[in-house]
Amino acid sequence: MRTSAIVVATDGAESGTTAVRWAAGEARRRQQPLRVVHVLDWDWSTARYDFGGGTFETARRLAETVVAVAGREAREAAPGVEVTTDVLIGNPTAQLLADSDHTELLVLGTRGKGGFAGLRLGSVSQRIATHARCPVAVIRSQEPGAERGPVVAGVDDSPGADAVLEAAFAAAHDRHTALTVIRCRPRTTSELQDTARADLMTHVAPWREKFPDVPVGVLLSPDGAAATLVAASRDAGLVVVGSRGAGLIAGTLLGGTSLQLLQHAESPILIVRRP
């Protein structure tokens, strides 16, 4: 059963601390509890050769220290938010993917160790971002004040784009900021461009009515999706995209668009899962 809790994974590295503080702010905006977890990467099949018997207990104490410090960071960043801490034991990818079955939002860091042991912008982070059964936020360090930038939503014309628009409008509403909706189309005649822009405006209209306080702009870009989103992220407080088949601009999550976005975006990224 899915709970309303936001989960953030940390290993105590700088990027993990950034993710914890961002997740605490998001929990405060959404008025939801926050669970801070650290995954102790432990292989029981090889641990049986540890005849001394003290290695695991030492590692567990260190893990408990990491998650306790992260919990204090979260409470400091967002006083009043209900914060709990937990140490998970096992393979980080498997543990967090299993945790995503009952999580409202999973928050990870980038660079360094990236939010939990072993995470890089490589196979582990890609598996988490693409296969988690809940929305995933990937957080990188930003300049102070950058989080106040506008929200950017990348959509295509698939039915799943509505999930991206809903999440993006809600994020902009919670942050009291503007929203820019981007759709990438190949270079074509001006008449077709006008039609595509009208279609995008029609798609956005119901959400504009639902969130009348959110200033909205639309951009129909003839450029590549990855380059457009990365460029937009430089001034954005958050970039919202969909997972495979669920609203991601012109490409799949395992393709070049999302991978380049995860590697090069300068703002937090929210990957939305269609219900």
Side-chain angles (χ1 to χ4, degrees), residues 83-100:
V83 178
T84 58
T85 60
D86 196 9
V87 174
L88 306 178
I89 301 172
N91 177 271
T93 301
Q95 290 294 324
L96 289 176
L97 286 179
D99 217 45
S100 72

Side-chain angles (χ1 to χ4, degrees), residues 97-244:
L97 286 179
D99 217 45
S100 72
D101 276 331
H102 47 82
T103 298
E104 183 76 12
L105 172 67
L106 178 59
V107 182
L108 309 172
T110 60
R111 304 195 183 280
K113 294 183 179 179
F116 63 94
L119 177 62
R120 301 291 192 274
L121 285 179
S123 60
V124 174
S125 59
Q126 288 181 59
R127 285 196 294 271
I128 298 283
T130 57
H131 297 300
R133 297 175 182 87
C134 67
V136 176
V138 182
I139 313 304
R140 66 183 67 248
S141 298
Q142 288 182 289
E143 294 296 325
E147 68 279 0
R148 293 193 291 271
V151 174
V152 171
V155 299
D156 60 12
D157 54 5
S158 71
D162 274 329
V164 174
L165 289 173
E166 180 179 17
F169 269 92
H173 169 79
D174 291 344
R175 288 163 172 76
H176 307 287
T177 190
L179 169 65
T180 300
V181 180
I182 299 176
R183 179 178 292 171
C184 291
R185 304 280 292 187
R187 296 182 185 275
T188 184
T189 66
S190 59
E191 181 178 351
L192 289 176
Q193 286 291 95
D194 290 343
T195 300
R197 181 176 179 84
D199 288 344
L200 180 56
M201 295 292 288
T202 299
H203 203 162
V204 169
W207 298 105
R208 192 196 296 266
E209 292 179 5
K210 187 173 181 179
F211 295 91
D213 61 321
V214 175
V216 184
V218 298
L219 172 64
L220 195 66
S221 174
D223 298 322
T228 300
L229 287 177
V230 169
S233 75
R234 295 178 186 131
D235 298 314
L238 177 69
V239 174
V240 185
V241 294
S243 60
R244 173 184 290 209

Side-chain angles (χ1 to χ4, degrees), residues 249-267:
I249 302 177
T252 67
L253 194 57
L254 291 177
T257 297
S258 60
L259 184 56
Q260 289 185 55
L261 185 59
L262 287 171
Q263 289 177 333
H264 301 296
E266 297 182 20
S267 69

Side-chain angles (χ1 to χ4, degrees), residues 14-73:
E14 181 181 353
S15 61
T17 300
T18 300
V20 166
R21 298 183 73 87
W22 187 94
E26 189 68 7
R28 180 175 55 194
R29 285 187 288 268
R30 298 188 183 197
Q31 298 182 340
Q32 293 176 325
L34 176 66
R35 179 167 165 251
V36 182
V37 303
H38 171 74
V39 182
L40 172 54
D41 192 354
W42 190 263
D43 185 347
W44 292 104
S45 64
T46 58
R48 66 180 184 273
Y49 298 111
D50 174 28
F51 297 109
T55 303
F56 174 73
E57 288 304 318
T58 299
R60 184 168 65 178
R61 285 195 296 270
L62 289 173
E64 290 171 349
T65 298
V66 167
V67 80
V69 171
R72 288 196 294 271
E73 287 279 354

